[in-house]
Amino acid sequence: MPHSVLARLPHGSIRLVVVFGLLLLVSLLVLHRRPGRSHVAAAAAGGGLPDTSALFLSLSPGANASIAADLRALTAGPHLAGTPASAGAAAHVLARLRAAGLQTLTREYEPLLSYPGHASLALLRPDGSLLKRLSLEEPADEGHRVVPPYHAYAPSGGAVAEAVFVNLGREEDYVALERLGVGVRGRVAVARRGGGYRGGVVARAAEKGAVAVLIAGNADGGVERGVVLLGGPGDPLTPGWAATSGAERLGFDDKAVKRRFPTIPSMPVSAKTAAAIIRSLGGPAMPAEWKNGLGVDVGGVGPGPTLVNFTYQEVRKFRKIRDIFGIIKGHEEPDRYVILGNHRDAWTYGAVDPNSGTAALLDIARRLGMMLQSGWKPQRSIILCSWDAEEFGMIGSTEWVEENLEDLHSKAVAYLNVDCAVQGVGFFAGSTPQLDKLLVDVTRQVKDPDVTGKMIHDTWNEMSGGIKIERLARTDSDFAPFLHHAGIPSVDLYYGEEFPGYHTALDTYNWMEKLGDPLFLRHLAITEIWGLLALRLANDPVLPFDYQAYSSQLQEHIKAFSALTSNIQAVNLMNGFINDLSAAAMEVLKEMKKLQQLDLYDEHARMRRRLLNDRLLLAERSFLQPEGLQGRGWFKHLLYSPPEDYESKFSFFPGIADAISRSANLSDKEREGAMKHEVWKVCRAIQRAASVLRGEFSEQKPTNFSSLVAP
């Protein structure tokens, strides 16, 4: 019948019908592939499809209850990495990711872990006779369910020696003791918690000649466990490569390995045990400011006259650890990764550290799974990561980053970390500067959990007297390998500045339910911020990176640097390169605005966005030094790796900070040369970033950089 109809039509009419039919077919195909024009316009404005954020937030009702249920399950018992008890938390996470409908993957490693063997502590009279046996137990652990307090990787050893109270164990405390005529050489240093990284406190005491260190806990009965490794995160025997089964492992006599381990034994002790030692001390009177919060009214700083008899036996074991992943492949750019991570292993029960974050991650998985069922897919891939053995030095995340370094270098968009999601009141965040604006924008979308009628942005701004975003120049969570080693833009989120029960038996579900977050609304807020950040990074046609903000932050760093140095030439030199980066960032901003006006589904425009996005994500890698920092090769980020001296005033430019801290024993000429070299390293890194943003080979431009006198 159709054939007979066409046969009766004139030849020209047949041609017109065919052409019209082809046009109709093409139109239908285009309409099938794309959303309505309002959706496209909204996406082009930088927010992705407008329904995505709203859909994610619409899944919030009742989420606080499911978060609470997950946290209760995860904290039912201790789950220290490498022990049989850790299997339960791993199984729970894997089951919940699968229940959400996500593709799952696991990866096992076999690092060297450290556990406590035998330990003893006693007070002796000056003649060596026993005065009192002291407890090494944690008063808060009434049921003796958790691992005894210890310092992971503290070496086996013992000491019978006089004790000296060193306050927080900082350099300034040893200077104060020196003014009193007291030293710690050949003695046991007794410190109290709060002097920074415990590994640094132990290392400082060893430098001063101490033979052992005891660190006091809080008066609440908690005793803080923790790692005391030095020189960076990861398995100490496989620095720079993954600790897989059968991998090369360095020997304990290797110089690189020796630098990682403390040289003297140490132990955390209860406040009660520390007080018994301090009360027995004679010597000069304790400075008044050292007594605050100590709970001890009598006693000097030592040494003696009593003796401390301390022994510790470490047990080192190769143990399997297990990272778990939930994966959502992007429909348009599956080879670009937005990575969310949290560790699940804990020293004790882990209600705050880390399973408040684990419960939030699982709720994100639940929501994304429901969105997938509705037909949504992200433009770029989203990877949810559950790390193991973080408490032993970010081992699970570090081994995975080292194993996949080249892939991550070319494909990772950003890493979003949550460790202790909720540990108190108030929102806190850290990030690399190009993510600041995105982070601030997202907090405008999330309701404050504590103040009715306000958004988190409002209370965050009021709490701090202006938005304050930390720079991630510390090595205490899983963003460290992503930023410091791989140069991946990173974010860290948490509620509450600090938790007094950190790494103690007080870190329980009961504390969270009664004191930390009774309605689990702070958990909900972190979940929403974390998820919205991921969705923007996975869906925005042009990545929401702001390198103008990065340039402004570097200029602030230069101001701080100039206050600590008289080297005006170095300051001027660095400012010149930062101004060039700022100019490149402005060029990129103009390009971004032009691309946002183009049709989302035009192939040429899509390719232009892809090329721009690659430049945006690769610019952070420009700040890496391939050979790493001098003497600390694992740390490669020249702007935000941690300084070698944990008490350094610098939270940026670690190579310069190291040169300053090492300069005490150098001649003026040597000091000047070391500083000059590190300043130029930073300048070259900033120049590389500007070139990457421009997307062109470096052009030889006439500048006044070289005319500056070298620092």
Side-chain angles (χ1 to χ4, degrees):
M1 183 70 176
H3 178 73
S4 61
V5 172
L6 288 173
R8 290 196 297 270
L9 290 174
H11 183 70
S13 299
I14 294 174
R15 183 183 303 166
L16 183 62
V17 169
V18 171
V19 170
F20 178 76
L22 288 172
L23 287 172
L24 180 62
L25 178 62
V26 169
S27 298
L28 289 171
L29 286 171
V30 170
L31 288 171
H32 178 72
R33 285 187 59 199
R34 65 202 295 177
R37 290 302 301 175
S38 61
H39 284 198
V40 173
L49 297 183
D51 294 336
T52 305
S53 295
L55 179 57
F56 183 83
L57 292 175
S58 74
L59 300 173
S60 289
N64 57 328
S66 66
I67 290 171
D70 276 323
L71 187 62
R72 184 187 290 274
L74 289 162
T75 59
H79 42 287
L80 182 62
T83 67
S86 66
H92 182 86
V93 168
L94 189 59
R96 294 284 280 112
L97 293 176
R98 287 173 174 167
L102 274 56
Q103 175 190 346
T104 58
L105 178 71
T106 61
R107 189 71 177 99
E108 290 186 347
Y109 301 99
E110 295 185 28
L112 178 75
L113 301 184
S114 170
Y115 301 97
H118 173 75
S120 65
L121 183 65
L123 270 179
L124 308 180
R125 297 183 179 88
D127 62 5
S129 61
L130 178 66
L131 178 62
K132 184 179 183 181
R133 296 192 186 279
L134 300 176
S135 173
L136 288 173
E137 294 180 350
E138 181 178 25
D141 182 24
E142 296 177 357
H144 302 287
R145 293 188 62 196
V146 299
V147 67
Y150 79 109
H151 286 159
Y153 303 103
S156 299
V160 178
E162 295 172 324
V164 173
F165 179 58
V166 298
N167 194 27
L168 297 174
R170 303 164 300 181
E171 181 64 29
E172 65 185 80
D173 297 320
Y174 287 103
V175 170
L177 286 171
E178 188 175 350
R179 286 199 294 265
L180 295 172
V182 176
V184 296
R185 183 165 300 279
R187 292 166 175 148
V188 175
V190 180
R192 59 172 171 172
R193 180 180 180 270
Y197 174 53
R198 70 191 72 81
V201 172
V202 174
R204 180 83 68 197
E207 289 172 7
K208 303 296 182 181
V211 293
V213 178
L214 302 174
I215 300 181
N218 291 332
D220 57 13
V223 180
E224 180 188 306
R225 299 145 184 82
V227 68
V228 289
L229 273 178
L230 303 168
D235 174 45
L237 303 186
T238 59
W241 63 94
T244 54
S245 177
E248 176 195 7
R249 284 171 171 78
L250 301 180
F252 289 102
D253 58 348
D254 187 277
K255 288 183 179 179
V257 173
K258 283 184 175 181
R259 286 197 296 267
R260 297 293 308 277
F261 290 93
T263 57
I264 59 175
S266 63
M267 175 73 73
V269 298
S270 69
K272 181 179 180 181
T273 292
I277 297 173
I278 295 168
R279 287 194 188 99
S280 75
L281 297 178
M286 186 183 299
E289 61 272 20
W290 289 17
K291 294 180 180 180
N292 295 334
L294 192 61
V296 177
D297 296 325
V298 296
V301 295
T306 56
L307 303 175
V308 169
N309 185 356
F310 168 57
T311 63
Y312 175 66
Q313 183 67 43
E314 179 199 17
V315 178
R316 294 176 179 175
K317 296 181 179 180
F318 291 101
R319 288 288 178 84
K320 282 189 178 183
I321 64 169
R322 192 182 191 194
D323 292 340
I324 300 173
F325 306 90
I327 302 167
I328 302 173
K329 288 190 176 181
H331 72 91
E332 189 169 311
E333 296 182 277
D335 60 340
R336 294 294 179 264
Y337 310 147
V338 177
I339 306 169
L340 292 74
N342 158 268
H343 75 95
R344 68 177 182 279
D345 66 297
W347 285 113
T348 62
Y349 302 99
V352 170
D353 183 12
N355 299 132
S356 57
T358 312
L361 185 72
L362 293 179
D363 191 63
I364 290 174
R366 177 188 67 85
R367 297 180 192 219
L368 295 181
M370 295 177 72
M371 292 169 67
L372 287 170
Q373 291 174 13
S374 73
W376 167 85
K377 284 186 178 179
Q379 177 177 319
R380 304 176 187 95
S381 294
I382 297 175
I383 304 175
L384 308 183
C385 310
S386 175
W387 309 118
D388 202 356
E390 187 270 356
E391 299 294 10
F392 287 88
M394 286 67 72
I395 290 180
S397 57
T398 299
E399 303 314 302
W400 188 75
V401 168
E402 290 175 343
E403 185 175 31
N404 298 282
L405 187 60
E406 298 306 320
D407 205 37
L408 293 170
H409 269 167
S410 61
K411 299 177 182 178
V413 173
Y415 176 70
L416 311 177
N417 187 71
V418 172
D419 191 329
C420 306
V422 178
Q423 55 187 5
V425 179
F427 176 68
F428 294 84
S431 76
T432 44
Q434 76 273 63
L435 293 171
D436 286 0
K437 184 178 183 299
L438 172 63
L439 178 58
V440 171
D441 287 348
V442 163
T443 61
R444 290 189 172 99
Q445 297 178 260
V446 179
K447 294 177 181 178
D448 188 277
D450 299 304
V451 183
T452 303
K454 290 202 172 185
M455 310 306 279
I456 286 178
H457 174 274
D458 304 326
T459 52
W460 186 20
N461 187 45
E462 293 165 5
M463 176 185 70
S464 305
I467 297 295
K468 288 185 173 64
I469 301 175
E470 179 194 8
R471 297 305 162 217
L472 300 174
R474 50 186 168 87
T475 312
D476 59 0
S477 195
D478 290 302
F479 57 77
F482 286 91
L483 177 59
H484 305 153
H485 192 68
I488 296 167
S490 297
V491 169
D492 187 45
L493 309 170
Y494 53 103
Y495 244 87
E497 191 165 14
E498 62 179 32
F499 170 50
Y502 178 71
H503 289 186
T504 76
L506 298 170
D507 189 3
T508 64
Y509 182 85
N510 184 61
W511 181 89
M512 185 64 74
E513 187 179 42
K514 292 187 176 181
L515 299 172
D517 192 14
L519 298 178
F520 287 83
L521 295 179
R522 293 172 190 159
H523 284 78
L524 186 63
I526 287 290
T527 300
E528 291 178 349
I529 295 171
W530 200 4
L532 291 177
L533 285 172
L535 289 172
R536 286 287 306 277
L537 290 164
N539 288 333
D540 277 19
V542 176
L543 289 174
F545 286 5
D546 183 0
Y547 278 93
Q548 191 60 47
Y550 216 128
S551 302
S552 298
Q553 178 63 85
L554 291 178
Q555 287 167 344
E556 291 299 315
H557 292 336
I558 293 300
K559 288 181 183 177
F561 173 59
S562 65
L564 297 173
T565 181
S566 59
N567 195 328
I568 302 303
Q569 291 88 355
V571 172
N572 291 338
L573 179 72
M574 297 174 81
N575 269 325
F577 283 98
I578 292 170
N579 290 338
D580 188 47
L581 177 64
S582 180
M586 287 301 297
E587 294 168 20
V588 165
L589 185 61
K590 292 176 183 177
E591 185 179 355
M592 292 170 73
K593 290 180 178 178
K594 288 181 181 178
L595 286 175
Q596 286 169 352
Q597 305 305 314
L598 301 179
D599 192 320
L600 272 181
Y601 295 93
D602 177 80
E603 289 301 325
H604 179 64
R606 185 180 300 186
M607 182 59 69
R608 287 178 61 187
R609 283 193 297 270
R610 167 84 171 194
L611 292 173
L612 174 59
N613 286 338
D614 284 352
R615 285 149 49 200
L616 290 170
L617 70 87
L618 290 173
E620 186 73 42
R621 320 293 195 260
S622 304
F623 300 128
L624 300 179
Q625 183 82 6
E627 64 270 26
L629 300 179
Q630 184 178 350
R632 302 190 297 135
W634 188 90
F635 290 107
K636 301 185 182 301
H637 204 287
L638 290 173
L639 305 188
Y640 292 125
S641 293
E644 183 176 41
D645 182 356
Y646 75 100
E647 292 185 43
S648 173
K649 296 179 181 179
F650 281 86
S651 59
F652 50 87
F653 304 158
I656 296 175
D658 290 353
I660 293 173
S661 65
R662 295 168 182 168
S663 65
N665 298 322
L666 299 178
S667 66
D668 290 344
K669 185 175 182 180
E670 289 172 329
R671 187 181 303 114
E672 182 181 335
M675 174 72 79
K676 170 184 173 182
H677 189 46
E678 294 301 333
V679 166
W680 272 107
K681 283 181 183 178
V682 172
C683 290
R684 287 192 291 270
I686 295 170
Q687 185 180 45
R688 288 194 298 268
S691 297
V692 168
L693 286 177
R694 290 190 171 105
E696 300 171 352
F697 290 115
S698 297
E699 185 179 345
Q700 190 69 38
K701 298 180 181 179
T703 69
N704 64 347
F705 299 167
S706 59
S707 66
L708 293 167
V709 178

